[in-house]
Amino acid sequence: LRLTELFRMSDTPTKGEVEALRAHINVQLDSVEWLAQLGPGEEMAGLGGSIRNLGYMEHAHLGWPLPTLRGFQISGERVGELIEEMLSVSLAKRARIPGLNPDRADILPAGSLVLQEVMNRVGAPRCHTSVNGLREGLLLDHLHGDTPPKGEDLRALSVNILAWRYELQRDHAERVRHLATRLFDDLAGRHGLN
């Protein structure tokens, strides 16, 4: 929202307006020290309305059968295509793009450009969408400080949060895990999974 207010672009943004916005985004990203610590191919999880909305646009494009973004990914290449689609039409036409929340049609291009520039900077091939928002991110930052969870740690944290949210009965879950593993192990040879 701030970028959209700061950079009042034309109804159909010009190349110069978009480049000025990209330049501003990159100046801001230069001041984020921890971004330089991330390596090429880093996995990225995104949260917030812009990323969720890009996910829903991709849902619509793919005819995604599930009504949730949990576990959904969007490639950097596809983010670029969606940005081009949004920037090539007027605000009124943008609001009618399948999956795009019409209330976000004015601010989504700027938020999408931020995502694209971060992905380019860290070499992230895709962004995992999140149904969570900024509040949950602030809580994670408070709990994990300068070392946010990545990879398997992030997956374990997500599973534990889900288990807590749905009041998982750990004893029962452990029995189910044990039985499922035993069934898999016992039937692996029969199905050529050795």
Side-chain angles (χ1 to χ4, degrees), residues 80-100:
E81 292 170 2
L82 290 170
I83 290 170
E84 289 303 315
E85 182 180 0
M86 287 186 286
L87 294 177
S88 67
V89 296
S90 68
L91 179 60
K93 287 183 181 176
R94 191 179 317 137
R96 292 192 302 267
I97 294 174
L100 191 151

Side-chain angles (χ1 to χ4, degrees), residues 95-154:
R96 292 192 302 267
I97 294 174
L100 191 151
N101 178 345
D103 293 338
R104 297 188 72 86
D106 59 339
I107 62 174
L108 188 57
S112 302
L113 286 167
V114 172
L115 174 63
Q116 185 180 47
E117 293 303 320
V118 171
M119 290 178 78
N120 289 342
R121 188 169 288 231
V122 303
R126 71 193 63 79
C127 180
H128 301 264
T129 60
S130 173
V131 294
N132 295 322
L134 187 57
R135 285 182 295 266
E136 291 86 356
L138 290 171
L139 177 61
L140 285 175
D141 186 52
H142 174 73
L143 295 173
H144 297 282
D146 292 334
T147 55
K150 297 192 285 188
E152 289 300 317
D153 291 340
L154 180 59

